[in-house]
Amino acid sequence: MIQMKKIFTLAIAALTVAGVGAQERFMRIHMADGTSETIKVAEVAKITFEEDGDAPVNPGDRRLVDMGLSVKWAAWNVGATTPSDYGNFYAYGEIEPKTDYSVETYQWINPDYVEGQFYDQWEQYYKLGATFTGTNYDVAHVKWGDLWRMPTRREWIELIENSTWTWTAIDGVAGCRATSRINGNSIFFPAAGNMVGTDHTHDQTGCFYWTSSEYEGDPTVECRNYRANMDSSNHAADGYDYPDVGFSVRAVYGEVPSETIKYTAPSEPVDLGLSVKWAPFNVGGSSVSLAGEYFCWGETATKLYSHRYNYKHYDPLTDSHVNIGQNICATEYDPATQCWGEDWRLPTPEEVKELIEKCTWTRSGYDAIVTGPNGNSIRFPAMQFLSYAGKPSGFLSPINSGYYLTGDGGTEKWASGKPTENEVCTVLKFYMESGIYKLDDTTYRGMGMSVRPVYAK
């Protein structure tokens, strides 16, 4: 309450009225960053002072600053109302502030983790994905809405490299001013320090801000996330920390960057004598290496690991899965179409069933060789699926099965009868060692699986 009272006093003191001639009166608003704005008094209906700095804003609001970069930047922190206000501290992926920033209070902790028993240390936390900008793990997006979101590490680096940095103070609060070398505009970052457990450290000596990007090291080594750190001499986004500590958040305004990679498609599909022609290799593969990449159902970008908490179509706020439709063939959710172009799409269950029933399946190692009625054949590598550990689920033994996506959303219930609520999809599964190849419509959507497209023309 003391800090909020300070905000009210500064805001009121900043308003002065100047008369200009006898006909019009103007209001000059003096900003905390040293700039001012003049408005005709006749155009002002009312003035309000907001207690909640998390209120949504619009692109014309003065809180949006154009630094001449790929995104616009907010003038102050999430939870703040002025540039010098600290705002709130947030643990990584959490959307509410708290008093204790520790492992015990972290929201995305694995409740089954026991040190030294089965789990590796990095599995103490639920890893939330390579980036969660614009998702429901993103406090800037959840609180401010629209195109506001947490900046990625790349966007922080863009700001750092294209700005001149000055250690200064506003309203008696020390911090860093970033002045754009592109257009001369500037924003201020208060040295709010950070929260570790219940301790407020580096107050007035350092600025610590979360990026929305996960540490790019081996996902099975540790769970850490990149941060931006500025002080009187250093300005970088190379450091990384455990997710339970509390840092400031500064929002940016702009579209979420696309993670979709365009891969080279085959020059010609393979005609097996069926109703559709098939690709000779997987998405992300080639004629030399057929295997390719793993994709979750309805996602068009690859990941290092896959599970519920980094699945794009899972909503952590409601603990439910988003309904993106029952058939995603040739849509924005089809990885074949998005990665290879409109000539390709995921197969339907009927097309896979035709592949199973009208073709001859033979084993080559653990792979499947599928020969059509006309004698032509294609090879399906046994890639199994991408697990939370970032490796195929059978990495401790030979990979002996294949999981291939279709465009179908699967049944509405598990075999046990439990409602799935948009959790499952239909896939081609094969175990050539056992001579099994079948359709399964109760496979979890958040598993990373192979994609073998069919020709859409």
Side-chain angles (χ1 to χ4, degrees), residues 89-117:
F89 296 105
Y90 298 95
Y92 193 78
E94 294 188 356
I95 61 172
E96 297 296 341
K98 53 191 180 182
T99 57
D100 182 3
Y101 294 80
S102 62
V103 173
E104 291 74 19
T105 66
Y106 184 55
Q107 183 175 3
W108 306 116
I109 203 73
N110 181 355
D112 298 324
Y113 174 81
V114 178
E115 185 175 358
Q117 294 184 17

Side-chain angles (χ1 to χ4, degrees), residues 258-265 283-284 295 300-301 332 334-342:
S258 173
E259 298 178 88
T260 303
I261 298 174
K262 300 294 185 180
Y263 296 98
T264 301
V283 173
F295 295 85
T300 60
E332 63 182 298
D334 186 332
T337 303
Q338 299 304 315
C339 296
W340 275 7
E342 62 182 11

Side-chain angles (χ1 to χ4, degrees), residues 194-357:
N194 58 26
M195 292 293 297
V196 181
T198 57
D199 295 330
H200 185 190
T201 70
H202 298 87
D203 186 20
Q204 290 289 281
T205 62
C207 313
F208 295 84
Y209 286 84
W210 280 124
T211 79
S212 61
S213 301
E214 184 178 77
Y215 173 56
E216 295 172 352
D218 186 341
T220 65
V221 173
E222 57 187 349
C223 181
R224 296 202 183 189
N225 307 283
Y226 284 110
R227 57 171 166 77
N229 179 208
M230 295 85 71
D231 55 33
S232 59
S233 58
N234 300 302
H235 321 96
D238 298 327
Y240 43 90
D241 264 292
Y242 289 108
D244 50 273
V245 301
F247 289 154
S248 301
V249 171
R250 180 64 62 95
V252 295
Y253 188 90
E255 297 284 351
V256 174
S258 173
E259 298 178 88
T260 303
I261 298 174
K262 300 294 185 180
Y263 296 98
T264 301
S267 57
E268 293 289 340
V270 178
D271 183 0
L272 297 175
L274 305 174
S275 63
V276 291
K277 297 178 181 179
W278 286 77
F281 51 82
N282 296 346
V283 173
S286 68
S287 58
V288 176
S289 177
L290 309 183
E293 302 286 352
Y294 296 98
F295 295 85
C296 296
W297 196 83
E299 294 187 353
T300 60
T302 60
K303 299 185 287 196
L304 293 176
Y305 56 90
S306 60
H307 65 122
R308 177 185 300 265
Y309 293 97
N310 79 333
Y311 179 48
K312 183 176 181 179
H313 305 298
Y314 168 74
D315 182 354
L317 298 184
T318 59
D319 188 26
S320 63
H321 289 71
V322 179
N323 183 6
I324 61 173
Q326 183 69 15
N327 179 10
I328 62 170
C329 289
T331 70
E332 63 182 298
Y333 304 110
D334 186 332
T337 303
Q338 299 304 315
C339 296
W340 275 7
E342 62 182 11
D343 290 349
W344 301 91
R345 61 169 172 80
L346 285 169
T348 65
E350 292 73 26
E351 290 160 350
V352 173
K353 186 177 180 181
E354 181 185 45
L355 192 75
I356 293 172
E357 295 179 349

